Amino acid sequence: AFFFFFMLPGADVGFVGLRRDEETLDSKEYMTTVPDDLAGRPVLILDPMLATGGSLVHTVEIISRSNPGPIIVVCALAAPEGIAHFAEHCPDARVVTASVDSHLNEVGFIVPGLGDAGDRQFGVQ
């Protein structure tokens, strides 16, 4: 987060915490600190990986309650299925990614991928 503040010192910052249900692959919201009114300002969503696209669509739905301007998603890695799902549900948003991997496996993980981003971030292995 320090790098983000350094690059955009006047930016409002919000956090959307979602947890994936491993059986349904649906996301469940557990925390949201998105500002109440974004006043049409551009929004950058930072997400390490775009896999199924479900949690990203959910995030845009949450942010959309706050009057956002253009939405740009920045991620390190994406799967073609997630990009397609996101584009279908959020056609006005843009996705910028460093790499698109091969596909999703039967449990919705990117192949070859990097493992579970949340597990890596919070030290759960």
Side-chain angles (χ1 to χ4, degrees):
F2 174 75
F3 183 74
F4 182 71
F5 285 116
F6 178 73
M7 296 299 295
L8 302 167
D12 286 330
V13 176
F15 176 81
V16 174
L18 301 174
R19 182 174 295 117
R20 182 166 88 160
D21 181 314
E22 296 301 329
E23 290 182 21
T24 66
L25 303 184
D26 291 333
S27 57
K28 308 276 187 214
E29 182 178 337
Y30 67 85
M31 182 178 176
T32 302
T33 64
V34 174
D36 290 334
D37 186 10
L38 295 167
R41 290 175 291 166
V43 173
L44 290 176
I45 298 174
L46 307 177
D47 194 351
M49 290 186 269
L50 169 53
T52 65
S55 62
L56 190 52
V57 169
H58 191 161
T59 299
V60 170
E61 289 169 354
I62 291 166
I63 290 170
S64 292
R65 300 179 208 147
S66 297
N67 186 31
I71 295 175
I72 300 171
V73 176
V74 179
C75 57
L77 188 61
E81 299 92 333
I83 294 170
H85 179 80
F86 184 71
E88 178 183 336
H89 289 86
C90 304
D92 295 330
R94 288 184 45 208
V95 174
V96 178
T97 185
S99 181
V100 178
D101 268 2
S102 174
H103 64 281
L104 295 177
N105 67 14
E106 64 281 349
V107 292
F109 281 27
I110 301 171
V111 176
L114 300 170
D116 186 287
D119 286 353
R120 288 185 183 279
Q121 183 176 2
F122 298 109
V124 179
Q125 295 288 359

